[in-house]
Amino acid sequence: MSGFAKEPATATEIGTRVLPSSDRWSPALVIPAPVCRFENFLGAERADALLEYAIGRQRDFTAGTVLDPLTGEESRKGRDSLVLPVTSAVFSRHLADCLPLVRECLGHGAALDRSLTVLTAHGDGGHYGMHTDASRVRDVSTAVSAVYYLHRRPRGFGGGQLRLHDTVVDGHRARPAETYRTVEPEHDTIVFFPSAAFHEVVPSTCPSGRFADHRFTLTTWISGPESAPPPAGAGARSWRWLAAAAEGTRPLHGVGADHEGAGTTALPPAGPAARRVAGGPGAG
């Protein structure tokens, strides 16, 4: 004989009298922001050359700012970083070549053909509070943000991780969630995510205080034509909820010239090699 009590032969229904009278079925939907990450994005030689370029332009960096969504005024509230607007034909080519795979991974169905790019540097205490990139793009429901990381090896800073927050849909309202995923700032890697997603950069430390030991990035905002159709495909609904949550962060007067001086760069079409990769194993 077993020493354990036997389970009843039939299942027992839990009556409604057992549950609290206030019990209602009202779950909140939590939507994780889609994200994809590439390692060895530019390759060792180009990545090191770009890092040395960034370090050599130390005197040209200025304090990064944010736009108040109500007044459109610039401030440094919630942000401590340095920025330098840049353009690069080589970087644009790499972006264009990986975009077919990025769109597939993110469930993105809209056209993307232009970008804005700035170099950023985070030193001791550098951070960027939770925000969206709605102030950098015309249509936050279709735009994609990309962050490419550069740093000396061994790493001269600590912290500086990217936190990519989920979005909560409660009824007909969408808002940023307290839950998030963390992306480590690894040299020569790039991460792509919807510009509507709430994200932040946690504070960094830089014990040496040297500019060369800062956390560097190329931060890029990728958009489509001004008259682009709404997103389509399996992930379109999630993108619309993300955009709904981000709408309150968009400047009321719209987006004009970039407030930090970044210029728009047209992206070239993706090369045939990139299309074969996007098609999966054996494609092409």
Side-chain angles (χ1 to χ4, degrees), residues 8-9 37 40 44 54 88 93 114 116 122 127 157 179 188 229 267 276:
R37 178 175 174 271
N40 307 314
S88 168
R93 165 57 65 187
R114 66 197 67 189
L116 297 172
H122 286 72
H127 65 279
F157 66 91
T179 54
D188 197 23
L267 293 175
R276 284 199 296 271

Side-chain angles (χ1 to χ4, degrees), residues 98-126:
C98 74
L99 276 181
L101 187 54
V102 169
R103 295 173 68 219
E104 182 178 329
C105 291
L106 299 185
H108 184 280
L112 298 170
D113 65 358
R114 66 197 67 189
S115 66
L116 297 172
T117 302
V118 297
L119 265 170
T120 73
H122 286 72
D124 198 50

